[in-house]
Every structure is written in C-alpha cells, then in structure tokens.
Amino acid sequence: MSRPLSDQERRKQISIRGIVGAENVAELKRGFNRHLHFTLVKDRNVATPRDYYQALAHAVRDHLVGRWLRTQQYYYEKDPKRIYYLSLEFYMGRTLQNTMINLGLQNACDEAIYQLGLDMEELEEIEEDAGLGNGGLGRLAACFLDSMATLGLAAYGYGIRYEYGIFNQKIRDGWQVEEADDWLRHGNPWEKARPEYMLPVHFYGRVEHTAAGAKWVDTQVVLALPYDTPVPGYMNNTVNTMRLWSARAPNDFNLRDFNVGDYIQAVLDRNLAENISRVLYPNDNGWLKTAEQPLSSGHCRDVLGVFQAARMGCPRVPHVSPLPSPQVAIQLNDTHPAMAIPELMRIFVDIEKLPWNKAWDITKQTFAYTNHTVLPEALERWPVDLVEKLLPRHLQIIYEINQRHLDHIASLFPNDVDRLRRMSLIEEGGTKRINMAHLCIVGSHAVNGVAKIHSEIVKTQVFKDFAALEPEKFQNKTNGITPRRWLLLCNPGLAELIAEKIGEDYVRDLSQLTKLHEFVDDDLFIREVAKVKQENKVKFALYLEKEYKVKINPSSMFDVHVKRIHEYKRQLMNCLHIVTMYNRKPPRAPRGPAAPGYHMAKMIIKLINTVAQVVNNDPVVGSKLKVIFLENYRVSLAEKVIPATDLSEQISTAGTEASGTGNMKFMLNGALTIGTMDGANVEMAEEAGEENLFIFGMRVEDVTELDREGYNAQEYYNRLPELKQAIDQIKSGFFSPDEPDLFKDVVNMLFHHDRFKVFADYEAYVKCQEKVSELYLNSKAWTKMVIRNIAAAGKFSSDRTIKEYARDIWHVEPSDLKIPPPNEPRDAAEDKTLNGTAA
Ligand SMILES: *Cc1c(COP(=O)(O)O)cnc(C)c1O
C-alpha cells in the first residue's frame, strides 16, 4: 500500500545538505571534543561559545584535509593545465557553513551540535567574515573559486592576505564611521601558513645592461609568505587552494651593522615592508581613487602576490611545447594584477634567456584579462615615475612592449598619429602614466566584459581601436553566482522546496530550474513558495528588531537596495522615491527596509538616515513605511537580507553597471526586480521575459542621445511637481531643521553635475514603483511572477560562467579528473607512485 508522503517524510529524503548517518554524527562529536580538549585546551566548564565555534571548525576541517592532499597529489600526478585566478580581492565571507554544505556534512553537523546541547546558528554567527574585498569584483572571485572546484578544474586563487579587510561601518547620528576590521584577532582555523614556500620579491634598485642581458641589481627584498586556504567543490572530493600572500621583512632588513640604539629602530622599521599586506584599500569603481596617496605601499601590494603567480609559469617554460598551448592559464581579475605581465616577460627574457618573441608569444597565450568597468575614473593609470623607482626593469619591459606594439600599428595604419596616441600604453601630457588596461589588452590573448551589454560597450566604445586591430580577442562572459552559497546556504527552505519538486541535481546544473515552469499554476506550490518567503521575512524582521531596535511589519513589502554606495548606482533616486511616497501619505502598499553601503558617498548615507528618522517617527505614516539603513553590508548580511526580499532595486544609469551580481542573487531567491536595462538585468529580462521584471527608464541609446542634446536637470524639476517638492524639502531643511544647509552639496550636484542623470529617470521610476505596489496587493499573481523568475535564473550560475571561461579562454575541459573519496584506498600501483612522490 502506498500513501502520499507527509511534508516531513519528503524533506527527509532530500539530501542536498548531507545524509545524517549515526557514525558520521558520532565521528563529528568525537572530533569536536578532541579539538576542544587538545587544540583549544578547554573543557565544557570553561569553554566559551567562540571555543565551541573553533572546535566545530577544526572538526569540519579534519574532513577537508584528506581530500585536499589527495586532490593536490592528483594534480601533481596527472599534470592537468593549471588555472591561476589572480585577484587583489577574494570576498569569501564565512567558511564554516559553506564547507559543511560542500562536503555534505551540514545535516550531520546540525545533529551532532544538537546532541552536544549547543545552538548551530549561534556558533555560525561567531565566525568573522573574511572581508578581503570591496563588493562585486571580490565576491565574483569567491564564487568562481567555488565553481572551479565544483567543476574539477585544477585552479588556484592567488591574492593578498590583508591583515585588515574592508572596514566595519558604524552609523553614529546618521553619519558613517569606519572601524578597522581586525578579522584575524582570534586566529583563522581555515588557513595554513607555508613558510617553507616563502619567496623573495624585489623592489627598487637599478638595471645593468651586460653582454649577457639585463640585470636588475641593488634591489630591496620583501619576503612573500603564502597562506593556503582549502576550497572544496560541491560533493566531488575536490579541494583546491586559495593562496594568499603576506609581506614579511627579511631578517637582514635594516638589521645589518646596527649599534644598540639603531637596533630598536631597525626592528620597528620592519613594519614599512610589512605594511604592503596590512590593509585592503576601500576603493570600488573609482571611489576614493582621487583620495589615494602616491601609494607606493599600495602599489607594492598590488605587485607582490601576483608576481608569485607569474613565477608559477616559470618552471614550466621548458615544458611548453608545442606553442601556443602553455600548460598554465592566468586570468587577471581587472587590471589590478597587471604587473604580472611584464614580470612573466622578465622571468622569460632575463632569467630563462628566452628570445623576446618566443617569450612574448607564451606570455600572450598565458594571460587573459577581464574588464569590470567602463567608468573612466576607475580605469587604472599608474604614474611612470613611480613605476620607474619601484620596478625599473618592469618599466623598461613595458616600454619595449609598447615600442613593438606601436610599430605594428604604424605598419597597419601608416601616418595615423592620433591612433598611435590613443592606443599607446603610455599616456603623455601632464604626468606620464601607464594605461594598465592597454597593457592588459596587449599582453593577453583574450579580453572579456562581464555581461552582454558591457562587453558590447567595451568592444565598440571604450577599447574600439583595440577591437579594430584584433576583433577575435574580445569576448563576453556574463557573470554568475554560486548556487551553493546563494541558495543552499542562505535559503535552505527554498532550496529544499525546489529539490522536492525537481530533484537535487539542479544544485550542480542550475539550468534544470526551468523544470519549475511546470508548477507556475500549481496552487500548492505557489502557497509553499510564498510561505518560505514569509518565514524568511519573519526571521529577518526578528534580526532587525534585535540589532536595530526597529519593528517592521513582516507582511509589508521588503523593498531592498543593497550594494556599495556609488553615484552611478543611484541610491539617491531611491531616496527621492521614498520622500515622494512619504509625501503621498498614505502609501498604497506598506513598505519595509532600504539601503546600506567620499564626501558625496558620506552625504548620501547621511541623507538616507536623516529621511529615515523623519519617516519612521511620523505617526501619520505609522508602520506603513519604514526606512532602515542596513549598517555594515557584507557577505554574511547579504545572506540574511536577500532571501527575505520581495523587491530588488537594480536602478543604475544604463551603461554604467558592468554586470551586477546582487541582481542575480535576488532573482534566485524569489525577489522581483525593479531595474533599468543595464548590466545583467538585460539578460535577466531576456531569460524571464521582460514582462516578469519591472523594467523602466532610459536605455543606453537614450542616455547617449540625452548626452548629445545636453542633460538639463532643471527642466525635470520644473516639470514634475512631486520631484520639485522632494528636492525643495531636502534643500530647505525639512528633514534636517537644525542644519537646513546640510544637503546643499547633494542638491547642487543633482542640478549641476549629475553624470548619472537621476532626474531624467525619476518619473519613470516612480510610475514603475506604482505598478509594483499594485501587483504586490495580489499575492498570488506576485508569487507566480516570482516562480517564473526562479525558473529562469539558471543561466546565472557561476558554474555556467566558468564553463565558458574554460572552453573559450583557458582551453580546458571541466571535470576530466575524478578524485576518489579519501577513505577509499587507491589501487596498489597508484599508491606506489604516490608514496614515492610523498617520500
Ligand atoms: C553580491 C555582493 C555585492 C555586489 O552587489 P551588486 O549589487 O552587484 O553591486 C556587493 N557586496 C556584497 C557583500 C555582495 O554579496
């Protein structure tokens, strides 16, 4: 006799978070107790919650070690092509839960921790985020590591181990205050220092030209100490390595020939060298660029770790045959690690004594460059005089590259002096600078943008001269997000509900979400999707109440705008809409929280907090409209707010947001998007159908047209009474009566130098928000649109993105290595080889 399974029974069959075997649970408890005792030297009488977190982290880590060693043994043995992903940022967030999920240990750990009388969520909350990134670019690198391991690619993340990550943001009286992110204070159970692999990195000095070639001499040495972090793939026994470099002063650094007085000073001076990896620069899409100092330690930092990756290519030079298929691919995450290009050339030419042309062929075949922005202020231009002092040999090599590059162009376009000027790696006029994007394009065999619309702008506008020269070099690789962290980990309710309907394989192959289309009219499924969202909202509302002491109505629409504060992302336009809703009291449908995030950025933050203060304390508005500034936005906060969101704000000026990845996280987690035709929003609309997103405002062509006509903010202000009212209120001190002039710079900017044209899209935005409010009143129609979006989100898995990089740029096959589980013995022949290599 068969009967329908109950909800609970069906859930039990879902194993995407791992199978709970009694042995597994017992082993985890033993590991936990062993580490509490021997690693942390505590017993249950005196252990703190942090001790318990650390004990669990070590117990889980034990399950990584065998797989990590074995994966690396396999790479050594089978010698597949290696992929080095070079990035100055890896925005990893927390590691514990991600590791449990990818190893299939989540359920077993939950049970073990429960049996030990502890609270898993409380322990998870103790882990510090690894905040080694500013935003999208750094988080992309982290998602890519997860996908590369899941696809079985022999990949390495290479970057810098900043002692202090992105600052912690505090809001005091509505103003941003920064606090240092001392993330390593309590130790980091996930990293392993490798002092035995420490390498010297040279700076300064001078170049001697001898008969045997160039010699870089009299340099100052800084040591690069690598720390390895395991990167597990999802349920495939693969564990890759993220290697982050830390700067150390050598023992003879200023310590030679001291007398007693100088000795102390010499020891203190070691900090100078070690400052290189001290702190992540809070610099995203050009913000703070102008505030950045001559930056010699910042540039040292940029070149330090990434040199090491170039060095990985070096021992392989003799094995590179036949060209052009080197056994190493190096992907540059934006231009920040660009110096790896002249560094690899230096190794080939000066040390390996390869002829220039051969060295250049291999270098170009090895490197590929990903462009992340077209905003001119964010395109790096390093001053020549700085590079000349810091890396004199590299500057010579860059000049040589440039000479050959310009000769080539001159041969193709005789007498086109202007073209030579536009395409040079060196910008003359004023301070001489190296155009780092030009260096990357010339030194790579592939250049890609990160969404269709962005790649098109890269090819036809920003680098059109280079595309005319080598059109086949330019590609698109639309960004993606890992469904492990951004669904399984952050939204287990939805992940399991989907698995009940379409099975579990979608976690590895997100395109299978299209199967959900079958259930768009299934009333039970619609109710279940709505219920999961409601539960997530209730949970987030409780979190807000605890952290911010604000009560929000969990049945109101959670309208969320989370991303770094930047003028182009137009948090100001959202703010004007909030003021407009406030002025229209009572609002049509109740709304919940809004946004987190140099002078303008800080003023925008202050403005949002000031408006929030007035709106939230107006008795007429009551609980109908609440504005909450989410302090200290970071990966672990994104994991909480995104699953609880109804409406995702993606409202950048068309042509400015290269891709966005926040937009994809919201789509996958059952939020609807209000957005412009910018970045990956365009492809989200393509996948889901434009009628299933709230698309508004100027397209790229409209922005171009408006630029030609001349954008006149005053005209919109004169024509739109609600815009005029909102601006007048902000300008006259309605929200800041004690300081009526507080926002005069913001208002002045909006009228006279708003490059991102907030007023031009205001009307369309407000009208579109009215449509959103109307649909939200019809809960069933809303949820059906949500389901259509989830079903269409498959394209935005970073697994798909990485497969495209592997096929089109790195020329490697995913998954041709099958790593067996660590407890399964290898066959005897294999064991012999491995014991041999290990010995
Ligand atoms: C995904 C993510 C971002 C990028 O968001 P966008 O909306 O694409 O700018 C920034 N910060 C964090 C913490 C993220 O998780």
Side-chain angles (χ1 to χ4, degrees):
M1 273 273 286
S2 73
R3 57 176 177 83
L5 296 175
S6 73
D7 253 20
Q8 213 179 0
E9 283 164 328
R10 251 185 310 160
R11 292 249 158 121
K12 274 223 176 100
Q13 295 190 326
I14 307 290
S15 59
I16 43 179
R17 287 153 70 91
I19 316 242
V20 193
E23 283 160 49
N24 237 344
V25 174
E27 155 64 18
L28 282 161
K29 282 164 66 180
R30 272 196 304 276
F32 177 95
N33 286 321
R34 186 162 31 84
H35 282 294
L36 190 63
H37 191 96
F38 290 102
T39 308
L40 299 155
V41 197
K42 286 281 180 85
D43 61 32
R44 297 274 317 242
N45 296 317
V46 290
T48 63
R50 175 163 283 111
D51 294 320
Y52 292 135
Y53 156 70
Q54 297 258 8
L56 176 61
H58 279 97
V60 169
R61 199 190 83 140
D62 289 346
H63 289 253
L64 278 169
V65 171
R67 291 177 170 90
W68 197 8
L69 288 171
R70 186 169 271 198
T71 302
Q72 301 309 314
Q73 286 168 358
Y74 259 66
Y75 292 165
Y76 183 87
E77 237 181 280
K78 306 269 160 84
D79 201 23
K81 184 166 181 175
R82 310 297 210 279
I83 313 300
Y84 292 95
Y85 195 83
L86 266 59
S87 180
L88 268 291
E89 301 185 13
F90 286 94
Y91 203 171
M92 303 297 280
R94 291 175 178 155
T95 297
L96 173 61
Q97 199 186 356
N98 187 246
T99 307
M100 295 190 295
I101 284 176
N102 281 17
L103 296 187
L105 285 175
Q106 171 94 70
N107 283 335
C109 287
D110 284 350
E111 180 62 26
I113 290 302
Y114 174 79
Q115 289 182 15
L116 289 161
L118 298 169
D119 178 359
M120 178 62 100
E121 274 192 38
E122 188 195 335
L123 300 192
E124 285 167 352
E125 284 296 314
I126 289 166
E127 182 174 0
E128 296 271 348
D129 278 40
L132 310 186
N134 276 287
L137 173 148
R139 184 52 233 175
L140 185 78
C143 283
F144 280 5
L145 292 185
D146 183 85
S147 285
M148 291 189 290
T150 297
L151 293 167
L153 296 177
Y156 302 78
Y158 265 63
I160 304 290
R161 180 181 175 271
Y162 302 107
E163 206 175 309
Y164 295 86
I166 189 69
F167 63 83
N168 285 314
Q169 180 193 51
K170 293 270 152 71
I171 301 297
R172 297 272 174 272
D173 188 28
W175 296 98
Q176 168 173 296
V177 177
E178 300 90 10
E179 186 183 78
D181 169 42
D182 192 5
W183 71 294
L184 293 167
R185 185 173 34 211
H186 302 286
N188 175 5
W190 304 106
E191 68 181 10
K192 178 75 189 79
R194 300 287 192 197
E196 66 277 26
Y197 302 140
M198 196 143 68
L199 290 172
V201 177
H202 298 260
F203 294 104
Y204 302 104
R206 60 195 170 80
V207 183
E208 274 178 4
H209 290 277
T210 68
K215 267 177 95 175
W216 184 17
V217 297
D218 295 344
T219 58
Q220 292 184 33
V221 171
V222 176
L223 295 176
L225 168 60
Y227 285 76
D228 289 350
T229 298
V231 179
Y234 178 66
M235 304 276 245
N236 66 350
N237 299 311
T238 298
V239 180
N240 283 343
T241 301
M242 175 177 71
R243 174 163 285 184
L244 302 182
W245 299 86
S246 177
R248 294 297 144 102
N251 273 335
D252 62 1
F253 186 89
N254 284 1
L255 292 188
R256 274 177 300 203
D257 311 321
F258 54 81
N259 60 43
V260 174
D262 288 335
Y263 161 70
I264 296 297
Q265 193 54 49
V267 173
L268 296 177
D269 284 349
R270 296 166 68 81
N271 277 328
L272 266 48
E274 297 180 351
N275 278 345
I276 290 173
S277 57
R278 194 79 66 205
V279 59
L280 170 75
Y281 278 72
N283 169 14
D284 191 58
N285 274 311
W287 271 130
L288 207 96
K289 256 284 151 65
T290 48
E292 245 173 330
Q293 300 316 310
L295 244 205
S296 79
S297 99
H299 280 118
C300 289
R301 169 211 58 184
D302 282 12
V303 293
L304 171 87
V306 296
F307 276 5
Q308 311 315 328
R311 211 157 285 201
M312 294 305 298
C314 168
R316 292 180 160 254
V317 180
H319 313 303
V320 181
S321 65
L323 280 173
S325 181
Q327 278 305 294
V328 175
I330 304 179
Q331 191 70 36
L332 302 173
N333 197 21
D334 212 309
T335 58
H336 317 147
M339 279 310 223
I341 293 174
E343 170 67 353
L344 188 58
M345 282 301 287
R346 187 184 70 85
I347 292 166
F348 284 155
V349 173
D350 293 358
I351 300 170
E352 299 290 322
K353 306 293 181 195
L354 251 63
W356 180 280
N357 284 333
K358 185 170 169 103
W360 184 238
D361 277 346
I362 304 171
T363 298
K364 272 206 303 194
Q365 286 312 311
T366 301
F367 283 103
Y369 155 57
T370 304
N371 173 278
H372 284 272
T373 180
V374 297
L375 294 182
E377 66 270 36
L379 293 170
E380 293 195 299
R381 296 170 159 95
W382 293 18
V384 163
D385 57 8
L386 186 135
V387 178
E388 189 165 23
K389 261 190 252 145
L390 204 59
L391 299 167
R393 180 57 186 147
H394 296 76
L395 183 65
Q396 289 179 350
I397 291 170
I398 290 168
Y399 276 145
E400 179 73 29
I401 294 170
N402 196 36
Q403 190 57 54
R404 288 162 186 258
H405 161 65
L406 294 179
D407 287 350
H408 177 59
I409 297 164
S411 73
L412 294 175
F413 303 91
N415 306 318
D416 194 345
V417 182
D418 201 50
R419 184 181 299 266
L420 292 178
R421 185 192 52 74
R422 292 196 308 266
M423 296 183 72
S424 177
L425 308 194
I426 309 294
E427 294 181 353
E428 313 276 346
T431 314
K432 240 172 136 180
R433 288 171 182 274
I434 306 171
N435 185 313
M436 301 308 274
H438 291 186
L439 173 62
C440 288
I441 295 169
V442 171
S444 299
H445 68 283
V447 175
N448 73 282
V450 290
K452 273 188 200 167
I453 186 174
H454 165 66
S455 297
E456 206 50 36
I457 293 171
V458 163
K459 201 165 70 183
T460 62
Q461 295 176 41
V462 186
F463 302 121
K464 64 167 182 283
D465 292 323
F466 291 89
L469 196 67
E470 303 177 288
E472 66 293 338
K473 208 184 242 193
F474 287 79
Q475 302 191 23
N476 172 244
K477 296 286 166 279
T478 299
N479 280 168
I481 55 169
T482 170
R484 273 70 67 183
R485 183 176 296 263
W486 297 114
L487 186 58
L488 248 58
L489 183 153
C490 72
N491 200 344
L494 184 59
E496 285 175 15
L497 178 58
I498 294 170
E500 284 169 30
K501 289 289 171 193
I502 66 171
E504 298 161 23
D505 290 349
Y506 77 92
V507 178
R508 239 183 286 261
D509 173 14
L510 207 63
S511 67
Q512 292 189 24
L513 287 178
T514 53
K515 293 180 188 167
L516 289 176
H517 274 125
E518 206 185 305
F519 303 100
V520 169
D521 297 311
D522 178 333
D523 281 339
L524 178 63
F525 185 61
I526 295 169
R527 278 203 302 277
E528 285 178 319
V529 169
K531 185 169 154 230
V532 168
K533 178 63 72 181
Q534 196 54 33
E535 287 165 359
N536 293 340
K537 289 169 69 175
V538 168
K539 190 170 175 194
F540 189 65
L542 287 172
Y543 169 83
L544 286 180
E545 204 174 324
K546 191 165 139 255
E547 295 292 312
Y548 298 87
K549 321 284 173 229
V550 278
K551 258 199 158 84
I552 57 167
N553 176 359
S555 63
S556 63
M557 184 201 304
F558 286 17
D559 174 351
V560 177
H561 195 177
V562 285
K563 46 188 78 243
R564 293 299 301 266
I565 298 274
H566 200 297
E567 280 178 72
Y568 85 84
K569 290 171 182 281
R570 298 200 293 194
Q571 279 91 1
L572 279 172
M573 191 162 76
N574 190 336
C575 194
L576 291 178
H577 172 244
I578 290 169
V579 173
T580 300
M581 273 195 294
Y582 172 72
N583 289 333
R584 282 180 181 181
K585 29 192 142 169
R588 283 176 181 79
R591 300 267 180 145
Y598 235 75
H599 174 65
M600 197 49 67
K602 290 209 170 183
M603 291 312 299
I604 293 169
I605 292 168
K606 175 67 176 171
L607 174 61
I608 296 163
N609 280 294
T610 305
V611 170
Q613 186 71 22
V614 172
V615 171
N616 295 347
N617 292 301
D618 187 324
V620 181
V621 174
S623 68
K624 292 248 163 192
L625 180 64
K626 291 282 179 209
V627 181
I628 297 164
F629 188 95
L630 290 184
E631 205 169 285
N632 203 24
Y633 185 52
R634 60 198 185 284
V635 173
S636 60
L637 183 52
E639 290 163 6
K640 294 184 177 72
V641 66
I642 290 170
T645 295
D646 294 305
L647 185 67
S648 158
E649 300 271 352
Q650 308 297 336
I651 60 176
S652 53
T653 315
T656 66
E657 184 74 274
S659 164
T661 49
N663 46 3
M664 302 168 185
K665 299 168 196 166
F666 284 107
M667 183 188 198
L668 183 58
N669 281 280
L672 297 185
T673 302
I674 183 165
T676 49
M677 275 299 199
D678 198 19
N681 298 354
V682 177
E683 288 156 80
M684 285 162 50
E686 200 172 291
E687 294 294 305
E690 201 173 320
E691 69 282 7
N692 290 305
L693 282 79
F694 294 95
I695 298 289
F696 70 93
M698 296 180 288
R699 311 299 205 248
V700 170
E701 305 76 45
D702 303 322
V703 176
T704 312
E705 175 63 23
L706 187 52
D707 272 326
R708 201 171 31 231
E709 289 170 12
Y711 166 61
N712 180 1
Q714 187 75 40
E715 181 226 310
Y716 300 92
Y717 170 88
N718 294 341
R719 185 162 59 77
L720 304 168
E722 289 189 303
L723 175 62
K724 181 174 188 304
Q725 184 186 10
I727 290 295
D728 288 348
Q729 286 169 328
I730 293 168
K731 195 168 58 177
S732 68
F734 176 88
F735 295 104
S736 54
D738 295 342
E739 254 179 296
D741 275 351
L742 190 56
F743 300 113
K744 68 171 191 301
D745 289 354
V746 177
V747 171
N748 186 50
M749 181 278 288
L750 286 169
F751 274 110
H752 302 295
H753 33 92
D754 178 9
R755 297 164 54 210
F756 303 106
K757 305 179 178 63
V758 168
F759 290 6
D761 269 340
Y762 166 86
E763 186 181 22
Y765 179 53
V766 171
K767 285 212 171 104
C768 193
Q769 285 280 13
E770 287 165 15
K771 286 204 286 182
V772 172
S773 298
E774 196 182 300
L775 186 72
Y776 192 73
L777 296 174
N778 182 346
S779 154
K780 185 169 170 183
W782 179 279
T783 306
K784 286 172 77 159
M785 203 184 270
V786 163
I787 294 169
R788 285 187 212 107
N789 271 268
I790 299 170
K795 173 174 178 182
F796 304 105
S797 167
S798 47
D799 298 345
R800 187 270 314 148
T801 313
I802 288 298
K803 280 185 198 159
E804 293 179 6
Y805 277 92
R807 186 190 62 202
D808 304 335
I809 298 180
W810 305 330
H811 308 297
V812 290
E813 283 289 315
S815 286
D816 48 9
L817 285 173
K818 284 273 170 289
I819 316 272
N823 48 343
E824 239 172 58
R826 309 155 144 273
D827 61 49
E830 260 185 306
D831 267 344
K832 226 171 116 195
T833 344
L834 287 170
N835 291 336
T837 60

